[in-house]
Amino acid sequence: MATAAGIFTNTIFGFIRASIMFAAIGTAGGELGGYTMLQAATYVWLGQALLAPIEAFGTREVSQRVHQGDIAVDLLRPVDLLSLHYAQKLGRAAFLLLARGIPPLVVGALVTGLALPEHPLSYLLGALSLLLAITVAFLADMMVNLAAFWLVETRGLTVVYNATMNLLSGFLIPIVWFPDWLLAIARATPFPSMIQTPIDTLSGRVPPAEALGLIGVQIGWAAVLALAAWAMLRAGTRSLEVQGG
């Protein structure tokens, strides 16, 4: 029932977003920031399909285990903590893509149509970009969780993070529609690598040669965030105190 409700909600929000973008493009004369009606529809439905797998609405499991002290047991296990949760993230992402992402995408394809890539390599690069997007999103979300080592409550930080991610990732609107100053800020963050890049690659809006550069940016952010998350985990482990032990 929850999955069915998620599909229904995801589809309805897709129609709402598509109607808003169509209105903006229609007012602009049929093209806005390099997006036609069909490209905008593709952007919307791919965004709806990828949001849950990539964001997964930020699991708070790690931060809760830190506050409860259960993280001490996790750290004693022979499996690396980050690797364990990354594997879980990939499993959840695969399920959410199949169960809640593909159905709205099919509905969108039937109702508004989709712009498909002209080059077959775009599909392969799109799959790689999607995996990297999930990885970057996981590492950024893990850093929010690991802040629990130093913060009594992380819910406020989570709300700010999710709002910032939805805006700067390009989920709400393509970042190329931003004013120059906001576009510069967005491109200086890892957030476009989570939504904008995989959508542009999967849709074929950017050719394979340009997509390779964007994937390189994703790899760079994945490396930076992995080092930062590992450093936070190591520092938090040294400072961890559990009452009674």
Side-chain angles (χ1 to χ4, degrees):
M1 291 296 292
T3 300
I7 293 172
F8 176 79
T9 303
N10 211 6
T11 304
I12 295 301
F13 273 103
F15 283 123
I16 294 173
R17 292 182 60 220
S19 64
I20 294 173
M21 293 185 71
F22 287 174
I25 294 173
T27 302
E31 189 272 339
L32 180 61
Y35 285 85
T36 63
M37 293 285 192
L38 185 59
Q39 289 171 335
T42 305
Y43 190 92
V44 166
W45 293 114
L46 281 176
Q48 293 301 123
L50 300 183
L51 179 63
I54 290 174
E55 186 182 48
F57 300 101
T59 175
R60 300 273 66 84
E61 179 184 354
V62 174
S63 63
Q64 292 172 358
R65 293 186 68 81
V66 170
H67 288 146
Q68 295 167 358
D70 295 332
I71 194 70
V73 178
D74 298 337
L75 295 173
L76 294 176
R77 293 173 178 171
V79 180
D80 176 70
L81 181 69
L82 293 179
S83 299
L84 172 64
H85 284 278
Y86 179 56
Q88 293 175 346
K89 170 74 174 184
L90 291 178
R92 284 194 300 267
F95 169 77
L96 290 171
L97 179 62
L98 294 174
R100 292 177 54 181
I102 298 300
L105 185 63
V106 172
V107 172
L110 295 175
V111 176
T112 65
L114 298 176
L116 299 177
E118 297 180 357
H119 199 294
L121 186 58
S122 294
Y123 293 99
L124 179 60
L125 293 176
L128 175 59
S129 180
L130 175 57
L131 175 61
L132 289 169
I134 293 172
T135 303
V136 171
F138 161 75
L139 292 169
D141 182 68
M142 182 58 66
M143 290 175 65
V144 175
N145 273 266
L146 293 175
F149 279 114
W150 300 276
L151 298 178
V152 175
E153 181 56 70
T154 60
R155 282 181 294 183
L157 180 62
T158 300
V159 171
V160 172
Y161 170 80
N162 286 337
T164 304
M165 182 268 184
N166 285 333
L167 174 63
L168 298 184
S169 67
F171 172 69
L172 299 178
I173 60 173
I175 63 173
V176 293
W177 290 8
F178 289 171
D180 291 341
W181 63 270
L182 186 56
L183 178 60
I185 292 175
R187 285 177 169 168
T189 70
F191 296 116
S193 293
M194 302 177 188
I195 297 290
Q196 182 81 51
T197 296
I199 289 179
D200 284 346
T201 305
L202 282 168
S203 66
R205 182 177 175 272
V206 296
E210 185 178 344
L212 286 173
L214 295 175
I215 289 174
V217 173
Q218 287 182 296
I219 293 173
W221 277 117
V224 169
L225 294 178
L227 288 174
W230 177 81
M232 288 182 67
L233 178 60
R234 185 172 182 179
T237 301
R238 290 198 303 265
S239 64
L240 178 65
E241 292 184 11
V242 180
Q243 184 178 2

